Amino acid sequence: MAAYAVLIVAGAFRIKGFQLRISSFVGLMVSLMGVVLSGVLTYHSITKIHATCLWCLGSAAMMVLSAVAYLATPKASEGIKDEGKPISALPWAIVPVLIVAAIATFGGVSKPVPPDLSAIDLNKVSYAALADSSRPLGQATAPVTIVEFSDLMCPACQQMHQRLMMFLIHNNGKVRLMFHHFPMVKFEGHEQAQYAAELSEQLNPDDFWGFVSKVYGQEERPDRAALDKLFASFKGKRLRTADAAHEKVVNDIKIGTDLGVTQTPTYILFIDKKPVAKASSVDIKDVIRRPEFAKIFTARAPKKS
């Protein structure tokens, strides 16, 4: 915003033919800095965040156009100054307006870029091994199985949790979820992820999913005291000791690491226990729309005799 304010002032000076050299220099420097910053942020959004904002891309385009305009017109500026005529701002005003109008028309946020899951080799994925180590939800006879590697402190996992629960309800009998922990404790805000995972693994199956839903249902990431309070609210018989739960979570991490999992949530999808696809929160919706999945989810349940 500050950069655009400076560009507006510099542009106004150019239109009035006032201090052309200074205004041109300031405008050029701000535009070039804007190009560099936009380039860095665009690279970061694609490689780190895996999502791009059309407003940001539009801003980057306008910064490039502004820099090009300042680089292309210094001699013309001096010539016009000598004649005492102002520089027309109309061409350079129309282009940004068109860019903003196009962004407003097609939406403010572009489709996120799916992360790279090429490290996961589906030929090396074993359904039996994943089934033995998972927390399952849904019927064992379901034709589709979704294996999830998740982090209880992960915002994307939190957003996907409710959607997955609704998807399982809507497709009851057709899909099964197998949950594995993959706490990303090295990331800021994820420091309590493994602790939360180990608490959940002490609980019996019914309480496990209740605890996971409560953790994901928090408006803010719970700290250790809040996690302890949530854990204490489940009075059912414990499935594992704290030490055994720790070993379970460590084993989940090893399984995910060996498979090539690097981010959460990561999904591996099976049809009739055969691995057929891998996905993230960005593209799992597109994956389950593939013909091999669509024909299962759109098929009507057989009528009971």
Side-chain angles (χ1 to χ4, degrees), residues 181-202:
H181 296 284
F182 200 79
M184 310 282 283
V185 293
K186 293 182 180 180
F187 288 91
E188 183 179 356
H190 296 242
E191 293 83 1
Q192 303 303 324
Q194 183 159 343
Y195 182 70
E198 292 178 7
L199 289 180
S200 73
E201 285 298 335
Q202 296 180 49

Side-chain angles (χ1 to χ4, degrees), residues 20-297:
L20 283 176
R21 289 184 180 275
I22 296 176
S23 62
S24 295
F25 177 78
V26 171
L28 177 60
M29 290 299 102
V30 172
S31 299
L32 291 176
M33 286 189 291
V35 170
V36 173
L37 180 59
S38 296
V40 171
L41 293 177
T42 302
Y43 172 81
H44 182 79
S45 68
I46 292 173
T47 61
K48 304 295 183 182
I49 303 175
H50 305 297
T52 54
C53 166
L54 285 178
W55 291 105
C56 301
L57 294 176
S59 175
M62 286 190 283
M63 279 295 179
V64 172
L65 287 171
S66 179
V68 169
Y70 276 104
L71 286 169
T73 58
K75 293 183 178 179
S77 298
E78 293 183 7
I80 293 175
K81 179 185 176 183
D82 293 339
E83 297 173 9
K85 297 179 181 179
I87 299 172
S88 174
L90 187 59
W92 306 112
I94 290 177
V95 173
V97 169
L98 291 176
I99 292 174
V100 173
I103 293 172
T105 301
F106 294 106
V109 179
S110 66
K111 186 176 181 179
V113 179
D116 183 10
L117 302 179
S118 59
I120 300 175
D121 185 355
L122 293 179
N123 294 320
K124 297 180 180 179
V125 175
S126 167
Y127 179 90
L130 291 172
D132 289 343
S133 61
S134 73
R135 285 282 199 161
L137 185 63
Q139 298 180 20
T141 56
V144 175
T145 301
I146 300 176
V147 172
E148 176 183 12
F149 287 89
S150 189
D151 177 326
L152 294 180
M153 298 293 126
C154 164
C157 302
Q158 179 187 36
Q159 293 172 8
M160 286 298 300
H161 178 72
Q162 186 62 31
R163 297 177 187 176
L164 279 174
M165 295 301 103
M166 294 301 296
F167 185 71
L168 262 66
I169 293 172
H170 183 70
N171 293 282
N172 184 32
K174 297 180 180 179
V175 61
R176 190 185 198 205
L177 178 66
M178 297 199 305
F179 186 97
H180 293 77
H181 296 284
F182 200 79
M184 310 282 283
V185 293
K186 293 182 180 180
F187 288 91
E188 183 179 356
H190 296 242
E191 293 83 1
Q192 303 303 324
Q194 183 159 343
Y195 182 70
E198 292 178 7
L199 289 180
S200 73
E201 285 298 335
Q202 296 180 49
L203 299 171
N204 65 53
D206 291 338
D207 289 345
F208 169 84
W209 288 106
F211 179 83
V212 168
S213 293
K214 281 194 173 183
V215 172
Y216 280 141
Q218 303 296 303
E219 293 185 2
E220 297 181 358
R221 292 170 178 162
D223 57 17
R224 185 164 290 217
L227 290 169
D228 287 336
K229 187 176 180 179
L230 284 176
F231 178 75
S233 68
F234 292 91
K235 307 299 183 181
K237 185 178 179 180
R238 300 295 186 247
L239 178 69
R240 295 183 177 91
T241 64
D243 289 341
H246 172 75
E247 292 180 6
K248 168 63 171 63
V249 173
V250 170
N251 185 58
D252 275 5
I253 297 171
K254 183 179 184 305
I255 290 172
T257 302
D258 290 345
L259 287 176
V261 175
T262 58
Q263 57 95 45
T264 57
T266 291
Y267 305 100
I268 301 175
L269 294 89
F270 296 77
I271 295 179
D272 296 329
K273 300 183 180 180
K274 296 180 181 179
V276 295
K278 50 193 173 181
S280 69
S281 58
V282 173
D283 58 352
I284 188 171
K285 185 182 293 186
D286 294 329
V287 170
I288 62 177
R289 286 174 177 168
R290 293 179 186 174
E292 61 268 34
F293 291 103
K295 68 180 182 181
I296 295 174
F297 295 130

